[in-house]
Amino acid sequence: MARSINEAVREVCLSFPQTEEVVSHGFPDFRVRGKTFASYVVNHHGDGRVALWLNAPAGSQDHYSKSEPKHFFVPPYVGPRGWLGVHLNKGLSWQRVAALVRQAYEKVAPRALAESIGETVQIKPPAALSPQQIDPLKSRRAQTVLAGLRKLCLSWPEVVEDQQFGSPVWRAGKKTFVWLHADRNAGAAGGDGAGARARAGAAEAKAAGRSVAKSAGRRASPRLQLYFWVGVAAQSFMTADARFKIPPYIGHQGWIALDVTEHCDWKEVRGLALSSYRHFALQRMLKLLGAEKD
């Protein structure tokens, strides 16, 4: 079986001395001595891209993004600092990808490490990611859950479906009360928001008798979660059930995440969704909801 782009990215980025992989904001960063030189980002906020964001040398971003827009772009957030976005699924040679990653590594690495690299790793073209791998919400399971949520949530007064950070959400007026989230990093060590997953560089991995691809491992199927507001007080006893987690970023506001990757109890989901809806809905919505029940 051909290697995936995920494995090829790791083979390139971990081929440099003292490189470590750290999961940050849901995606792998590759660092040397604490400094990030590359980020592997797939479908960031629903943009559909399979890309590397590289801490490129000065002038690279302007040159490549203008001369070869098919293969390069200005990435969000880090673009203003000169980082370069590299499309990995639009035909760019992987030897060019490896050379660009090397430039990014050399920019941030201590001189002694940069000078010890040797020849750039040779990479065979990997297998492309499937549409479901790029966007897990296109999977059959996700579409089944999505259809159920639409039937449920859109039956309540003044509910609209929208997109937030690339994920479908349902709003009571302007307030989000349900969120369907796909976490493609759930199967990776540290992918639950622990924050860090360090890996040896290729030289260290090979010295231990392991290939880079094998040391990286394969990712599990993406985890599907539903987010609901339940209140901070309810979080502690709900997380006693392994299906529930406190989600990052919004958990401190009283949200809970329910794992529906393999099973969805729609009676339970309805109760959680309705409670969340009632928390955010305006009085006129609640009156309409009550009238419909009557």
Side-chain angles (χ1 to χ4, degrees):
M1 181 181 293
R3 294 172 310 154
S4 70
I5 289 179
N6 300 342
E7 293 168 325
V9 166
R10 289 192 171 94
E11 184 170 355
V12 172
C13 294
L14 296 175
S15 69
F16 305 109
Q18 297 186 25
T19 300
E20 62 176 4
E21 180 183 348
V22 179
V23 175
S24 177
H25 300 287
F27 295 102
D29 281 353
F30 295 92
R31 303 177 183 179
V32 55
R33 300 282 179 90
K35 295 183 178 180
T36 300
F37 64 91
S39 297
Y40 176 46
V41 185
V42 178
N43 196 39
H44 180 259
H45 290 178
D47 66 7
R49 291 171 173 154
V50 180
L52 276 171
W53 297 356
L54 300 179
N55 193 347
S60 296
Q61 180 197 93
D62 185 66
H63 171 73
Y64 286 116
S65 63
K66 290 181 178 177
S67 63
E68 299 180 76
K70 176 183 176 181
H71 299 305
F72 303 99
F73 62 95
V74 178
Y77 307 120
V78 293
R81 302 205 302 269
W83 284 54
L84 177 66
V86 182
H87 288 289
L88 300 179
N89 59 344
K90 293 191 175 182
L92 187 66
S93 161
W94 274 83
Q95 289 314 121
R96 285 193 68 188
V97 172
L100 290 165
V101 174
R102 176 173 181 153
Q103 290 177 3
Y105 175 90
E106 291 174 335
K107 177 184 175 183
V108 304
R111 179 177 296 179
L113 288 181
E115 292 177 348
S116 70
I117 295 176
E119 294 186 2
T120 304
V121 64
Q122 299 292 307
I123 298 293
K124 295 180 180 180
L129 298 181
S130 68
Q132 292 78 18
Q133 288 174 311
I134 295 173
D135 183 359
L137 292 175
K138 292 182 179 179
S139 69
R140 181 178 297 178
R141 174 61 182 163
Q143 289 296 307
T144 298
V145 174
L146 185 59
L149 285 172
R150 284 173 174 155
K151 182 179 180 180
L152 174 67
C153 296
L154 294 176
S155 68
W156 298 329
E158 298 186 39
V159 171
V160 294
E161 182 179 333
D162 202 352
Q163 290 278 317
Q164 188 167 330
F165 301 118
S167 296
V169 299
W170 287 265
R171 304 187 195 277
K174 296 182 179 180
K175 299 290 186 177
T176 297
F177 69 96
V178 175
W179 189 327
L180 174 59
H181 177 69
D183 182 3
R184 64 168 47 81
N185 292 298
D192 269 332
R197 176 175 42 138
R199 299 185 184 273
E204 290 88 342
K206 289 179 180 177
R210 298 176 289 130
S211 71
V212 175
K214 288 182 179 179
S215 70
R218 295 182 181 273
R219 295 188 180 198
S221 298
R223 180 177 57 189
L224 292 176
Q225 294 177 307
L226 298 181
Y227 292 178
F228 310 96
W229 185 92
V230 295
V232 173
Q235 289 175 325
S236 59
F237 69 81
M238 292 183 75
T239 51
D241 183 332
R243 298 174 304 146
F244 291 99
K245 302 289 183 184
I246 297 176
Y249 311 119
I250 60 175
H252 67 284
Q253 298 173 346
W255 287 76
I256 200 75
L258 170 63
D259 192 325
V260 293
T261 307
E262 297 181 357
H263 175 71
C264 184
D265 181 339
W266 284 104
K267 183 177 180 180
E268 177 183 47
V269 167
R270 186 183 188 282
L272 289 166
L274 184 57
S275 178
S276 188
Y277 173 84
R278 289 181 181 279
H279 175 74
F280 291 108
L282 299 175
Q283 285 298 317
R284 70 169 184 271
M285 302 177 196
L286 297 177
K287 288 180 180 179
L288 289 171
L289 181 66
E292 289 178 0
K293 287 186 175 181
D294 295 339

